[in-house]
Amino acid sequence: MAEVKISEMRDLTRIERIGAHSHIRGLGLDSSLEPRLSSEGMVGQTSARKAAGVIVKMVQEGKIAGRAVLLAGQPGTGKTAIAMGMAKSLGQETPFAMLAGSELYSLEMSRTEALMQAFRKAIGVRIKEEAEVIEGEVVEVQIDRPAVAGAASKTGKLTLKTTDMETVYDLGGKMIEALGKEKVQSGDVIAIDKASGKITKLGRSFSRSRDYDAMGPQTKFVQCPEGELQKRKEIVHCVTLHEIDVINSRTQGFLALFTGDTGEIRAEVREQIDTKVAEWREEGKAEIVPGVLFIDEVHMLDIECFSFLNRALENDMAPILVVATNRGITTIRGTNYKSPHGIPIDFLDRLLIISTQPYKEEEIRKILDIRCQEEDVEMSEDAKVLLTKIGVNTSLRYAIHLITSAALACQKRKGKIVEVDDVTRVYNLFYDVKRSTQYLMEYQSQYMFNEVPTGDAEEDETTAMVS
């Protein structure tokens, strides 16, 4: 009997690309906030992950707002990975805004305005409203098409039922079109918003699950609704304060969110929105969801930005601020003063500091295993051992970069598994920081603007030109 191959069809909902942190799915903590050695793409950094887990728990319970956390550690110790893990652990509902310190200097607006917009992107508003809906299982859809095209509009009947009752509704042209768009057929459980006429497909009824032999993986089965067909339902919308700002400050309304040109927003608009949101909170219509604002390379901010952050954190509606830096004692941008991490002492005093430690050899090995899996590269045991040694002697990032390069070298010789020779070949092709520095030291006289002693400057320049 011939084998029938069924091609798998998949909806492309997002652009799938392998990024530096695409393997991270959470913080890798158990129910008691104890970090597992390797879980959800996270390896090592147990104390930092545990501390981040405590912050996440407090955010979820709405216990803290207007607090700030600093992730401090050497380059390549997983600071951004921990922030990404926090974002994934918080879930879809909690807003998470990400910003790099250097971004503020490339935007066509003042730095304080850009920071204010980032702050308001990280504060969510959960708005509740009651709506009249008709919810039931479709028994039958009858559409009468006119004999002559264009002579008359389509008419039809829709039969809906719940476990207690069954009703027939007359359909107009718009509803017929909406049913056609949603591809509603008998056996589907649907909800119709009475005010707008919007149809939402909730799934297929369990009672009709045996109607078809084959079903797609996206088919969802639900119970037939109980009680009356018409009911009042509470609908919850989640938006960020920034989205409300943009909608109210632009003439094109919500379409301004898609044009991308948000520009500067006036303080009066924000004040009015804050007053309105406060009213909704008192009436029980809305609820504030403080999210997380993550600023990477925080040492890039200048003294004005730090002063603004000091003030902004004292606001009633402030998110949790998570900042990260890999600097030691360095100059505060915009001043001649030095301070730890390039952050002013008064702002540093407000921060809970989480420190990240360099990875151990076995942790580097586990991370390389995860990355090989993520990048779909098959590597021999010996090659992984060599790559781990390279990671220990150079840096983890350099070792990760060699994975794909070694896979391409393997592909070139038509091999299936990456061997030691492939890793050695790309190691010799691409320099790490140490070897590059060593090369510069040896051949620095041949480079432009090399630093030379002032006394022998002219003589050395002539020698360099001749050589």
Side-chain angles (χ1 to χ4, degrees):
M1 189 177 163
E3 192 182 332
V4 180
K5 285 188 179 177
I6 299 167
S7 63
E8 190 184 331
M9 213 172 85
R10 198 156 53 100
D11 289 341
L12 186 69
T13 51
R14 62 189 182 89
I15 297 168
E16 290 182 7
R17 285 198 68 201
I18 297 164
H21 300 103
S22 56
H23 61 284
I24 288 159
R25 297 179 303 282
L27 282 169
L29 306 172
D30 60 21
S31 53
S32 60
L33 296 183
E34 283 301 321
R36 302 185 192 99
L37 285 173
S38 174
S39 175
E40 296 181 330
M42 296 292 271
V43 176
Q45 302 299 353
T46 49
S47 60
R49 276 160 54 204
K50 189 173 181 178
V54 171
I55 299 290
V56 165
K57 197 77 179 161
M58 287 159 87
V59 173
Q60 284 170 337
E61 290 174 8
K63 294 279 173 70
I64 58 169
R67 305 287 178 88
V69 179
L70 169 66
L71 293 168
Q74 297 168 24
T77 52
K79 295 181 295 296
T80 310
I82 289 170
M84 294 290 284
M86 286 173 82
K88 294 273 166 57
S89 302
L90 286 165
Q92 293 292 318
E93 286 268 294
T94 312
F96 186 92
M98 213 166 176
L99 182 76
S102 50
E103 267 180 58
L104 298 178
Y105 300 91
S106 58
L107 297 169
E108 291 176 5
M109 61 177 88
S110 68
R111 293 190 291 282
T112 49
E113 172 64 22
L115 276 171
M116 179 55 91
Q117 287 191 15
F119 257 73
R120 289 175 79 87
K121 276 178 193 169
I123 303 161
V125 184
R126 201 180 279 130
I127 303 163
K128 298 171 195 161
E129 64 171 354
E130 279 200 342
E132 291 267 341
V133 291
I134 297 166
E135 197 174 278
E137 182 189 323
V138 180
V139 178
E140 193 182 14
V141 184
Q142 280 183 324
I143 296 166
D144 303 322
R145 288 176 177 83
V148 183
S153 60
K154 294 177 193 172
T155 55
K157 284 184 167 59
L158 170 71
T159 312
L160 285 180
K161 69 161 188 179
T162 64
T163 50
D164 299 355
M165 63 186 287
E166 190 172 307
T167 310
V168 179
Y169 293 96
D170 287 325
L171 299 172
K174 279 190 176 178
M175 284 299 286
I176 291 169
E177 202 178 306
L179 286 166
K181 263 187 188 173
E182 289 293 321
K183 297 184 176 71
V184 172
Q185 53 187 345
S186 57
D188 287 340
V189 177
I190 62 166
I192 305 167
D193 187 340
K194 276 191 81 178
S196 64
K198 184 173 179 278
I199 295 171
T200 312
K201 220 171 175 181
L202 304 174
R204 280 194 71 74
S205 172
F206 273 115
S207 58
R208 307 293 288 267
S209 61
R210 297 189 182 278
D211 285 11
Y212 303 102
D213 295 335
M215 257 155 303
Q218 67 275 16
T219 308
K220 185 180 166 191
F221 287 102
V222 290
Q223 292 287 1
C224 179
E226 294 175 357
E228 292 197 10
L229 276 160
Q230 196 166 309
K231 52 188 88 166
R232 289 185 76 81
K233 235 184 176 186
E234 194 178 69
I235 297 169
V236 179
H237 307 282
C238 287
V239 286
T240 65
L241 277 177
H242 176 66
E243 285 167 351
I244 302 173
D245 291 348
V246 172
I247 290 164
N248 286 282
S249 67
R250 297 285 170 268
T251 48
Q252 64 264 51
F254 79 96
L255 292 171
L257 293 169
F258 304 104
T259 59
D261 180 29
T262 53
E264 295 208 6
I265 294 162
R266 295 194 322 276
E268 303 89 73
V269 173
R270 288 204 176 107
E271 277 171 28
Q272 286 170 5
I273 288 162
D274 288 350
T275 312
K276 196 71 191 163
V277 170
E279 274 177 38
W280 289 345
R281 281 172 78 187
E282 280 175 27
E283 290 166 17
K285 279 186 187 173
E287 192 184 326
I288 293 291
V289 186
V292 173
L293 170 61
F294 175 62
I295 303 177
D296 209 351
E297 305 170 359
V298 74
H299 52 264
M300 293 295 289
L301 302 185
D302 61 13
I303 195 75
E304 284 175 36
C305 295
F306 286 120
S307 301
F308 174 82
L309 288 175
N310 264 333
R311 181 75 190 84
L313 280 174
E314 288 171 356
N315 197 341
D316 292 346
M317 290 198 286
I320 313 298
L321 178 66
V322 179
V323 296
T325 179
N326 54 21
R327 298 291 166 97
I329 294 168
T330 186
T331 310
I332 303 165
R333 190 169 180 165
T335 70
N336 297 322
Y337 298 102
K338 289 196 171 188
S339 79
H341 313 297
I343 299 170
I345 300 296
D346 61 337
F347 186 62
L348 207 55
D349 199 34
R350 292 171 186 266
L351 303 173
L352 290 167
I353 301 171
I354 299 173
S355 182
T356 54
Q357 306 301 322
Y359 288 110
K360 299 185 185 84
E361 192 170 335
E362 60 269 22
E363 290 169 351
I364 289 175
R365 171 61 196 265
K366 276 180 191 163
I367 293 167
L368 291 171
D369 280 342
I370 291 167
R371 288 305 302 180
C372 284
Q373 206 174 333
E374 181 72 13
E375 293 177 30
D376 208 10
V377 172
E378 273 193 65
M379 196 176 279
S380 71
E381 198 62 32
D382 292 345
K384 280 182 184 174
V385 169
L386 176 61
L387 206 57
T388 308
K389 279 184 182 168
I390 291 169
V392 172
N393 294 328
T394 57
S395 73
L396 174 62
R397 281 183 181 148
Y398 176 69
I400 289 170
H401 286 321
L402 293 187
I403 294 172
T404 310
S405 314
L408 289 169
C410 171
Q411 210 175 317
K412 193 172 180 292
R413 63 169 178 84
K414 295 182 174 60
K416 297 281 183 201
I417 296 170
V418 175
E419 298 292 348
V420 173
D421 293 348
D422 302 314
V423 176
T424 311
R425 188 176 288 114
V426 292
Y427 178 74
N428 291 326
L429 276 174
F430 303 107
Y431 277 16
D432 58 274
V433 179
K434 282 180 188 172
R435 284 185 294 158
S436 181
T437 312
Q438 197 178 337
Y439 181 86
L440 277 176
M441 297 299 281
E442 285 176 31
Y443 298 99
Q444 65 167 333
S445 58
Q446 293 177 19
Y447 283 82
M448 284 180 69
F449 308 117
N450 61 298
E451 289 184 19
V452 287
T454 47
D456 308 313
E458 285 177 28
E459 192 183 320
D460 279 4
E461 246 175 50
T462 317
T463 315
M465 283 169 74
V466 172
S467 63

